[in-house]
Amino acid sequence: MIRKILKYLLFTLLTIIVVAAAFFTYANIAVNQRFEKSYQIELKPLTISHDSVSLALGEHLSVIKGCTDCHASDLGGKVMVDDPAMGRLVTPNLTKGKGGLPADYSTEDWIKAIRHGLSRENTPLKLMPSQEFNLLTEKDLAALIAYCQSLAPIDRELPKLEIRPVGVLLTHFDKIPMVPAELIDHHREVVADIPNEVSLENGQYLATSCSGCHRTDLKGGDGHIPGSPKVADITGSGNVGKWTEGQFITALRTGGTPEGKHLDNNFMPWQMTKAYTDTELKSLYIYLKSL
Ligand code: HEC
Ligand code: HEC
């Protein structure tokens, strides 16, 4: 009897292993097809000017759009995560130093990467959140590229990005935004410029940088990675609806909320929102309250 049960258990276990292995092989092939897909896009010409006003705007954008968070504060790239199950997530060195971008990395290549989430070979960049950068105005994109092109070379050679089994499965089930190029309407028209003043329109424009975590309706939801806190509702129906403009600005500059909570920069990146100007935070405030 016992032998029979053992035999049965062993058989069940083997079946589970075989089915799991077959499923993983399938998921791996499907994910690799998504990584290798070639996108055909048409790029509109963009005039890049390296004057001091553009460079200053570009530097500001590189902070408030999170480039310096992921690509390191000097934009020389870094290993963000190295986990045996998940993978090694590496951001490239964006300078022209050793280990950096190739000498012939062109303005078109910059547009492809930032606006479309594509490599120069037209395949998707992994995790590079271009769905948030896709709607950058022509003026902001040009300033950002001008600034990146003028970076002093940094010699930093980094290991290759590698997606390991858990990363493959999370990608397959769309639990992490691994392939932002899939989330972008590559033919969408973009605005040339949005005046830098306190306005609802400017607030709406700036809020695209919050939508990756707070969702497109900005009403929040479950945490992005297992174990991370719930993402707050930041529309008028959440706490922000009760805050004054001053309290909102303090929360985004210090991480301290009127309810006495201290926001953890690892989940809510207030070190990044700290760099927003008064005009930008005031615009965000009126836009979020209006929702
Ligand atoms: C959430 C982290 C994250 C943020 C924020 C981010 N990037 Fe990236 N970026 C990546 C990763 C990861 C890659 C590498 C993707 C790959 O190798 O497939 C990448 C790739 C790139 C590339 C492509 C380089 C190449 O080899 O072709 C450029 C250019 C780039 N990023 C510029 C920027 C700029 C400019 C910003 C800010 C507007 C920015 N990134 C913000 C994660 C990020
Ligand atoms: C990387 C993900 C991420 C990004 C990007 C992000 N947030 Fe958050 N935010 C969070 C998380 C997670 C929380 C909840 C933190 C907690 O409860 O400890 C939060 C909390 C907040 C809170 C506090 C809400 C409350 O009820 O206490 C405000 C306000 C806020 N975010 C505003 C913004 C704004 C404005 C932007 C865009 C400029 C933004 N966030 C971008 C993840 C993010």
Side-chain angles (χ1 to χ4, degrees):
M1 184 65 183
I2 299 226
R3 264 183 70 172
K4 229 176 170 178
I5 294 178
L6 276 179
K7 228 168 139 180
Y8 175 75
L9 282 180
L10 192 69
F11 179 75
T12 312
L13 192 69
L14 278 175
T15 311
I16 292 175
I17 292 175
V18 169
V19 170
F23 179 75
F24 180 75
T25 310
Y26 160 75
N28 201 25
I29 293 172
V31 163
N32 275 314
Q33 273 173 357
R34 289 163 67 190
F35 288 163
E36 282 155 22
K37 178 173 170 189
S38 174
Y39 287 71
Q40 295 314 319
I41 51 164
E42 242 174 83
L43 294 180
K44 275 212 299 189
L46 185 68
T47 315
I48 311 287
S49 146
H50 293 84
D51 61 273
S52 61
V53 176
S54 302
L55 293 181
L57 174 62
E59 180 171 15
H60 175 62
L61 289 166
S62 76
V63 178
I64 69 166
K65 298 300 172 190
C67 322
T68 51
D69 257 348
C70 286
H71 289 269
S73 50
D74 57 8
L75 295 179
K78 65 177 179 191
V79 177
M80 289 197 294
V81 176
D82 194 347
D83 180 85
M86 174 75 189
R88 183 169 56 215
L89 307 180
V90 185
T91 51
N93 176 348
L94 298 182
T95 76
K96 291 277 171 73
K98 226 170 142 193
L101 296 175
D104 63 346
Y105 200 78
S106 67
T107 295
E108 285 70 38
D109 294 332
W110 279 104
I111 302 175
K112 269 191 210 171
I114 301 173
R115 211 189 265 305
H116 299 279
L118 296 173
S119 70
R120 31 182 2 201
E121 287 79 33
N122 299 320
T123 53
L125 292 168
K126 299 172 187 92
L127 285 171
M128 158 75 184
S130 298
Q131 77 277 21
E132 290 174 28
F133 309 142
N134 175 254
L135 286 177
L136 280 173
T137 60
E138 298 285 25
K139 180 183 163 198
D140 283 355
L141 182 63
L144 193 54
I145 294 175
Y147 173 68
C148 291
Q149 287 174 335
S150 72
L151 291 169
I154 291 167
D155 296 336
R156 188 176 303 146
E157 289 176 286
L158 293 152
K160 267 199 158 22
L161 183 149
E162 222 179 275
I163 311 294
R164 300 185 183 131
V166 173
V168 169
L169 291 175
L170 290 175
T171 305
H172 185 69
F173 291 113
D174 289 323
K175 291 297 173 201
I176 39 174
M178 186 65 87
V179 194
E182 291 173 349
L183 308 173
I184 294 173
D185 172 359
H186 294 277
H187 304 287
R188 191 150 56 178
E189 286 291 322
V190 289
V191 181
D193 185 20
I194 289 173
N196 177 25
E197 59 190 25
V198 178
S199 71
L200 201 70
E201 186 196 20
N202 197 15
Q204 177 171 21
Y205 172 58
L206 293 162
T208 48
S209 303
C210 323
S211 62
C213 296
H214 288 276
R215 310 294 195 273
T216 15
D217 62 3
L218 299 166
K219 286 190 180 293
D222 287 331
H224 269 293
I225 9 172
S228 68
K230 262 182 110 71
V231 188
D233 174 358
I234 53 169
T235 68
S237 58
N239 283 335
V240 176
K242 291 176 264 166
W243 297 355
T244 63
E245 181 189 84
Q247 289 173 322
F248 178 76
I249 293 178
T250 304
L252 293 196
R253 290 231 170 106
T254 68
T257 77
E259 290 77 29
K261 188 170 197 175
H262 189 76
L263 301 168
D264 181 345
N265 183 62
N266 288 322
F267 300 114
M268 166 58 206
W270 59 267
Q271 289 290 353
M272 176 184 91
T273 54
K274 187 168 89 170
Y276 280 78
T277 63
D278 282 352
T279 304
E280 288 165 341
L281 289 178
K282 287 177 180 175
S283 300
L284 273 169
Y285 177 74
I286 51 174
Y287 174 64
L288 295 175
K289 288 260 284 200
S290 78
L291 297 174

